[in-house]
Each structure stands twice: as C-alpha cells, then as structure tokens.
Amino acid sequence: QVQLVESGGGLVQPGGSLSLSCVGSGYTLYYYSVAWFRQVPGKEREGVSCIGRRWGGTYYSASVKGRFTISRDNNKNTVYLNMTSLRPADTAVYYCAAAWGNYCEDGVRRADYDAWGQGTQVTVAS
C-alpha cells in the first residue's frame, strides 16, 4: 500500500495561488490514479481533480475547472495541484488519495480510492 504525504497548504488572499504536493512512498505512483479531495467541517468530502495512471488523462470538478491544474512527476513520485484565482469558497482541508489502476475517466469518486494522506489546510481570506 502506498503512503501519501501532502504539503503546500497555507493562508492566501483571494485571487492568489498555491501549489500543493502529494508525495508517495512505499510504491511508485506511476501505476496509481491520484486524486485531490477537499473537505470543510460538516460537509461531504468533495472530489476536486484526478489524474490517471501512467500519463493518464485528467478530470476537474466544475467548481475548479479553469483555475486548478493537476500534474504528476513520476521521477519524483509526486502529484501536484496548482491552484490559481483562489476564492474563499476554496477554503478546506485538501487530501490526496490514490487508487491502483485507472479511476480517472469520468469523475472523482471517493469510494474508488483506498490510500489517503493526512490532509493540508488551505485558507483563502483577506
């Protein structure tokens, strides 16, 4: 089972940018689909974006499409989420998750992913 560690969260003003990293250990992420989820207290964990195994395709939820970009560096065993034009509504704990195989063809579903990081807080406020 791959282990995941997120980093890069913090406080940013509206309109600003942040880049999150998800580093895998114990196994190569090359064979995993990797997704980013976010959660605010009292709400369901929301799938934000995913990237398929190997050099697979990407998917973005409607709420972030055009503002967030997911990418992977297989040499560093890392998946990134570059976030721009951030809004207060983007405030949440962001989690990365991995699933063996290709689970990023038509959406991001929590039930598909069985390896999770501990989360990193992103706060968008002036």
Side-chain angles (χ1 to χ4, degrees):
Q1 182 84 328
V2 67
Q3 288 82 48
L4 305 171
V5 177
E6 304 97 333
S7 63
L11 173 64
V12 63
Q13 292 187 340
S17 300
L18 274 178
S19 185
L20 305 182
S21 299
C22 173
V23 180
S25 63
Y27 211 89
T28 175
L29 287 178
Y30 183 72
Y31 297 106
Y32 287 80
S33 296
V34 179
W36 287 94
F37 292 78
R38 65 187 182 186
Q39 190 169 25
V40 297
K43 290 193 175 182
E44 293 282 324
R45 193 167 292 188
E46 172 194 8
V48 171
S49 181
C50 61
I51 187 165
R53 65 187 299 178
R54 299 191 178 99
W55 301 106
T58 58
Y59 171 88
Y60 300 93
S61 68
S63 60
V64 306
K65 194 169 186 178
R67 301 187 297 122
F68 291 10
T69 304
I70 192 170
S71 61
R72 66 193 307 155
D73 185 334
N74 292 322
N75 290 328
K76 294 183 178 179
N77 217 31
T78 300
V79 171
Y80 303 97
L81 185 68
N82 187 46
M83 307 183 294
T84 64
S85 301
L86 283 163
R87 307 165 180 167
D90 295 316
T91 296
V93 177
Y94 283 71
Y95 299 89
C96 71
W100 179 270
N102 201 16
Y103 290 93
C104 190
E105 294 182 342
D106 58 358
V108 189
R109 287 174 290 274
R110 183 176 180 176
D112 290 336
Y113 294 84
D114 55 7
W116 292 83
Q118 82 290 348
T120 185
Q121 176 71 46
V122 172
T123 302
V124 184
S126 55

